[in-house]
């Protein structure tokens, strides 16, 4: 089963994932957590924070992130991910789309939409729903 969490920053995706992952692993020892380390990608750039990098670098960062996410999930059947391709698309639309060409945005949207369909279930987190 492919499980994804989706939602804005600080809505509990990681917290909920950490709580349910051990329970799933007890039932399926092949189950794993798949996440791309965004910090390691940021370390490739001179400016280490997404809040202060310019638009071209942010688009490059998002493209590398999505590429690594695709690579990490290809061929995997039993996993949980804390950030879905829908999150990647939302970040693109908010931070990158206005600085990208129509064709670049269309390719990014198609990739994210296609890969988001691979999840068996996607949970959406909201700040006002945290316990």
């Amino acid at each position: 089963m492919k499980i994804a969490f989706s939602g804005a920053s600080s809505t509990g995706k990681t917290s909920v994932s950490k709580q349910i992952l051990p329970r799933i692993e007890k039932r399926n020892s092949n189950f794993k957590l798949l996440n791309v380390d965004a910090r390691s990608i940021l370390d490739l750039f001179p400016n280490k924070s997404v809040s202060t990098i310019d638009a071209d670098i942010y688009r490059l960062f998002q493209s590398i992130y999505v590429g690594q996410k695709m690579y990490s999930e290809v061929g995997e059947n039993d996993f949980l991910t804390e950030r879905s391709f829908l999150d990647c698309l939302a970040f693109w639309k908010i931070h990158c789309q206005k600085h990208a060409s129509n064709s670049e945005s269309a390719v990014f949207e198609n990739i994210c939409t296609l890969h988001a369909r691979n999840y068996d279930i996607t949970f959406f987190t909201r700040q006002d729903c945290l316990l």
Side-chain angles (χ1 to χ4, degrees), residues 52-103:
T52 57
I53 59 178
D54 71 24
D56 291 332
I57 299 298
Y58 198 94
R59 287 193 341 265
L60 179 58
F61 165 78
Q62 281 295 106
S63 297
I64 292 170
Y65 183 91
V66 164
Q68 287 189 6
K69 185 161 187 57
M70 287 186 320
Y71 181 78
S72 73
E73 293 182 12
V74 70
E76 296 290 344
N77 293 314
D78 296 314
F79 67 86
L80 182 148
T81 184
E82 297 171 7
R83 188 165 300 280
S84 76
F85 279 97
L86 297 175
D87 292 296
C88 298
L89 181 56
F91 275 92
W92 179 270
K93 287 186 173 279
I94 292 167
H95 300 287
C96 301
Q97 190 168 17
K98 64 185 169 198
H99 302 289
S101 68
N102 289 340
S103 60

Side-chain angles (χ1 to χ4, degrees), residues 3 8 12 19 25-26 31 37 39 48 50 59 62 85-86 88 90 92 96-97 100 109-110 116 123-124 129 131:
I3 301 172
Q19 289 178 2
E25 288 173 326
K26 283 182 184 177
F31 208 86
D37 182 11
R39 178 65 45 207
K48 311 286 187 218
V50 292
R59 287 193 341 265
Q62 281 295 106
F85 279 97
L86 297 175
C88 298
W92 179 270
C96 301
Q97 190 168 17
E109 184 170 344
N110 287 337
F123 293 100
F124 294 94
C129 292
L131 299 176

Side-chain angles (χ1 to χ4, degrees), residues 66-67 70 85 105-117:
V66 164
M70 287 186 320
F85 279 97
S105 287
V107 167
F108 197 90
E109 184 170 344
N110 287 337
I111 288 170
C112 290
T113 302
L114 176 71
H115 287 278
R117 291 182 182 141

